[in-house]
Amino acid sequence: MSQAPATPEATRRRHDREIVALAVPAFGALVAEPLFVMADSAIVGHLGTAQLAGLGVASALLTTAVSVFVFLAYATTAAVARRVGAGDLQAAIRQGMDGIWLALLLGAGVIAVVLPLAPGIVDLFGASATAAPYATTYLRISSLGIPAMLVVLAATGVLRGLQDTRTPLYVAVAGFVANAGLNVGLVYGAGLGIAGSAWGTVIAQCGMAAVYLTVVVRGARRHGASLRPDIAGIRASAQAGVPLLVRTLSLRAVLMIATAVAARLGDADIAAHQIVLSLWSLLAFALDAIAIAGQAIIGRYLGAGDTAGAREACRRMVQWGIATGIVLGLLVMAARPLFLPLFTSDPTVNDTALPALLIVALSQPISGVVFVLDGVLMGAGDGPYLAGAMVVTLAVFTPVALLVPAFGGGLTALWGAMTLMMATRMLTLWLRTRSGHWIVTGATR
């Protein structure tokens, strides 16, 4: 006897369970990542102002490097999820190993650049004469952990593609605890100062990479997947990552332009901008967790050839994005008076930030749609379109943002331009998903 088709309500419940099961642990892992920098800052801050300033410069450079190479996680998630959907776990893990080998090669390249050029890089970012030596020390030592950091990104993508976001959460939490303990012991117990903080972070990152590699290697042996580097597979992983790299660089350019414009508006505006941007970034973690679920779920459906399931999952995740955006927006509006005193006691900065925070609150439903559709198209392996759409968005945002000071606009006008940027992204992503051109089934796109 044939089974009766699932009701719409049953289908929605199934999608909801999948989204929650993947998004909640992903959110925890995402939040754990910036805690590394916070722990380092809290420990190094007691050494002195120059040391903390040096850490600030070096950690900003390292954070930028990680964000640039985040395509290792995104591209690997989509590729592995497709093969999972197609029922070929051996090929899925083989694809994941290609991403890990690419991460190791890129990490070695970064070390080769950073070790000899660290002093010049630090000077380029305007570190003071007192902070520069500390920044150089931290950057050189921490660069040794970049291969491990990139392996963590790629291996996280493997596990997400395998529909596992719990393991990355456990590893991230354990890594944070180990990082904090090592930092305290090496900075103060061993008396290594800022170098101890860097070594503690490197050791923690290598430990995290080792755990991930153990999990992936076990899976490879279980399913008979080769662990040897495959040049063709590594090249394919790199080619899939290039469009996502363009997308990421374009987005980073938007944020850099916004900060540069805010700096031209005055000290109060740039101070308020940093506060607003920090909250905006925090809210992004919650929305990005749904996007990560989208990458894994959409890739699996398309790999299985289930176009109807992919469309329905996309529709349901958009509803989740909008609902989450509304909730986050309401929380921001309610918490504005309580949030700002945590960062500043300056009434001018407070007054400047308040209306900008209101814009951030009102734009959260737009952000919810953007993050979800971004994840859907990444899961579909639609990187070239995402790259082009983000370049178009950058072209729209840049002149509007640069005109803010010329027309006497303040921080509120700048965040209006940021909202225009997100609205442009939403339009380009919505047009693509509506067209259906992103729906390409099979184990590979």
Side-chain angles (χ1 to χ4, degrees):
M1 176 181 281
S2 61
Q3 189 175 10
T7 64
E9 181 62 30
T11 300
R12 281 196 298 272
R13 284 199 300 269
R14 186 181 77 249
H15 287 311
D16 289 346
R17 286 194 297 270
E18 284 189 327
I19 293 167
V20 170
L22 291 170
V24 172
F27 174 69
L30 288 169
V31 170
E33 291 173 11
L35 292 179
F36 270 78
V37 177
M38 290 178 63
D40 287 1
S41 299
I43 294 165
V44 171
H46 292 286
L47 293 174
T49 301
Q51 288 91 331
L52 184 58
L55 173 66
V57 172
S59 63
L61 289 166
L62 292 166
T63 302
T64 299
V66 173
S67 67
V68 165
F69 291 117
V70 75
F71 70 84
L72 288 166
Y74 292 160
T76 305
T77 297
V80 171
R82 273 186 175 271
R83 287 160 176 79
V84 169
D88 192 347
L89 287 176
Q90 183 186 69
I93 296 175
R94 173 66 260 179
Q95 178 70 42
M97 285 305 304
D98 292 335
I100 289 172
W101 279 112
L102 176 61
L104 286 169
L105 290 173
L106 291 173
V110 173
I111 289 177
V113 171
V114 172
L115 277 181
L117 299 180
I121 296 171
V122 167
D123 288 341
L124 187 64
F125 275 73
S128 67
T130 54
Y134 296 111
T136 301
T137 296
Y138 191 93
L139 183 60
R140 274 185 165 150
I141 296 172
S142 293
S143 70
L144 300 176
I146 286 180
M149 200 182 304
L150 299 189
V151 166
V152 167
L153 284 177
T156 299
V158 176
L159 295 182
R160 288 173 180 171
L162 294 171
Q163 317 296 297
D164 176 10
T165 56
R166 289 183 179 272
T167 300
L169 171 61
Y170 300 149
V171 176
V173 171
F176 167 71
V177 173
N179 177 68
L182 286 166
N183 269 253
V184 171
L186 294 174
V187 171
Y188 297 111
L192 296 179
I194 195 169
S197 177
W199 280 118
T201 301
V202 168
I203 294 169
Q205 288 164 346
C206 289
M208 292 169 67
V211 172
Y212 275 119
L213 288 174
T214 300
V215 173
V216 174
V217 167
R218 283 178 179 170
R221 288 174 175 167
R222 188 182 310 121
H223 297 287
S226 173
L227 299 173
R228 290 195 299 267
D230 176 65
I231 300 301
I234 294 171
R235 187 186 303 115
S237 294
Q239 289 172 344
V242 168
L244 296 180
L245 175 62
V246 172
R247 167 202 167 274
T248 300
L249 290 174
S250 299
L251 181 56
R252 295 295 301 183
V254 165
L255 299 178
M256 289 174 64
I257 290 168
T259 300
V261 170
R264 292 173 60 189
L265 296 175
D267 289 347
D269 291 89
I270 185 62
H273 175 73
Q274 289 304 115
I275 295 171
V276 176
L277 186 62
S278 67
L279 178 62
W280 188 79
S281 300
L282 178 63
L283 298 173
F285 285 131
L287 299 173
D288 202 25
I290 304 174
I292 288 169
Q295 294 170 31
I297 292 170
I298 294 298
R300 192 188 75 235
Y301 273 119
L302 294 179
D306 188 354
T307 58
R311 288 183 182 276
E312 181 57 36
C314 174
R315 189 177 304 113
R316 189 58 178 163
M317 279 184 283
V318 168
Q319 293 170 355
W320 268 81
I322 294 172
T324 304
I326 291 172
V327 171
L328 292 176
L330 292 173
L331 288 174
V332 172
M333 292 180 70
R336 279 187 309 157
L338 302 174
F339 175 76
L340 286 171
L342 297 175
F343 290 87
T344 181
S345 57
D346 187 330
T348 304
V349 175
N350 188 81
D351 293 342
T352 304
L354 270 173
L357 281 174
L358 179 60
I359 291 180
V360 169
L362 294 174
S363 67
Q364 284 309 293
I366 296 174
S367 297
V369 175
V370 168
F371 275 85
V372 166
L373 294 183
D374 209 38
V376 166
L377 295 184
M378 282 185 191
D382 206 10
Y385 182 86
L386 287 170
M390 198 61 228
V391 170
V392 169
T393 300
L394 176 61
V396 170
F397 169 78
T398 301
V400 175
L402 294 178
L403 286 172
V404 167
F407 283 90
L411 189 67
T412 303
L414 176 60
W415 276 90
M418 288 287 285
T419 302
L420 172 65
M421 179 271 294
M422 294 300 287
T424 304
R425 289 185 71 189
M426 183 176 71
L427 177 61
T428 58
L429 297 174
W430 176 76
L431 289 173
R432 184 63 168 181
T433 50
R434 190 183 180 199
S435 73
H437 294 318
W438 58 280
I439 298 180
V440 178
T441 58
T444 59
R445 184 176 172 85

